[in-house]
Amino acid sequence: MTAAPKARLCALLLTAALAVGLSACNRDLEPAPPAATAPGAPATVTPADAAAPMAFESKTPYADVRLTLPDALKRQTDLHARLYAEEVRLLRQFAEGAQGELTEAGADTDRPKFEKTVTVTAALETGKLFSLKRVDFDYSGGAHPNTLSSGILWDKALKRRLGLADLFRKNADLTILDQALCSAINAAKRARVPDSASISLGGAPGASCPRAADTPFVLAPGTVNGRAAGLIFFIGAYQVGPYVEGSYEIAIPVTGFRSLLAVAYADDFAGQLLKAGDVTPVMAASPSPGTA
């Protein structure tokens, strides 16, 4: 072979070797393919995927379950994702439990199937806070269904859920709020059932006022847009009287506890309540006829 062809051959071999080397390097830079999901393992759900749905529904021979979320929740993507995932998990657990109970040995095959409906609505949004009302209708057999109301409070900047204590100064004495709630409950009981027995803080079981810190709540709207004029507390049926007396939603004005508010949230409260005391919706206050 002459010198010129030999030189060309060497150049071609060198080019091919460089191409192979670069290809190997590029493969090292490529993202690894996703690992295969193990059989039976739950599928990976990103927060964005989980936040997309605004409703969930499932019907089986044993239970009907349903979740409804408000459009206002779309703006709080982190809360949306967490809340949807949490509620769907609980509804699926309820449906599984219904199947187990209704198919257990000796169970009455004519029993109606169970039902759970969770409805979340927007209560109030302020500069820093987003408040939601959660209503849980539950029929798990028995003489009648039960409906429980609760609240969800979200700090929009910190992206975390808050409890009642978070709204107040550290180690604040909430006795004044407990007393205001107890007085309002007694007034509501007398208005609904004139001969209803009074209850008190620290009273006997079944005749004791709930403590504010242990009671679910939402922010209460008032005369100033975008500010909370107080708090609405949810008192379940059976909690302060017989089932026939019904549940209570009690609004307490901010004027009674403003001095206790934490500096971080004081500006989120202003104005007067549109109505104080018993603000229970008519349907929620009236259990099924004939129940006790």
Side-chain angles (χ1 to χ4, degrees), residues 239-275:
Q239 192 172 353
V240 295
Y243 179 82
V244 70
E245 194 172 301
S247 59
Y248 292 91
E249 297 185 13
I250 303 296
I252 303 298
V254 67
T255 51
F257 57 83
R258 182 182 298 280
S259 62
L260 303 177
L261 289 170
V263 173
Y265 300 116
D267 289 343
D268 290 87
F269 289 81
Q272 303 295 319
L273 288 173
L274 302 180
K275 181 183 178 182

Side-chain angles (χ1 to χ4, degrees), residues 104-135:
E104 66 183 0
D108 184 355
T109 56
D110 294 331
R111 291 173 62 185
K113 62 180 179 178
F114 292 179
E115 180 181 354
K116 181 180 275 291
T117 300
V118 176
T119 305
V120 180
T121 55
L124 182 66
E125 183 172 359
T126 68
K128 297 175 183 174
L129 301 170
F130 185 54
S131 179
L132 295 164
K133 180 181 179 181
R134 179 184 184 273
V135 178

Side-chain angles (χ1 to χ4, degrees), residues 10-20:
C10 289
L12 289 172
L13 291 174
L14 180 59
T15 301
L18 288 171
V20 171

Side-chain angles (χ1 to χ4, degrees), residues 167-233:
L167 293 177
F168 297 97
R169 299 193 315 268
K170 187 176 181 180
N171 299 322
D173 184 357
L174 300 184
T175 301
I176 187 173
L177 184 55
D178 294 337
Q179 292 171 339
L181 179 59
C182 189
S183 295
I185 291 173
N186 276 310
K189 284 168 61 67
R190 287 191 296 271
R192 193 177 297 181
V193 183
D195 60 351
S196 176
S198 294
I199 58 177
S200 60
L201 288 169
S208 178
C209 284
R211 296 283 178 177
D214 301 324
T215 305
F217 70 97
V218 293
L219 301 181
T223 55
V224 179
N225 289 334
R227 303 284 187 92
L231 301 171
I232 298 175
F233 291 91

Side-chain angles (χ1 to χ4, degrees), residues 277-288:
D278 190 0
V279 294
T280 313
V282 175
M283 293 301 294
S286 304
S288 303

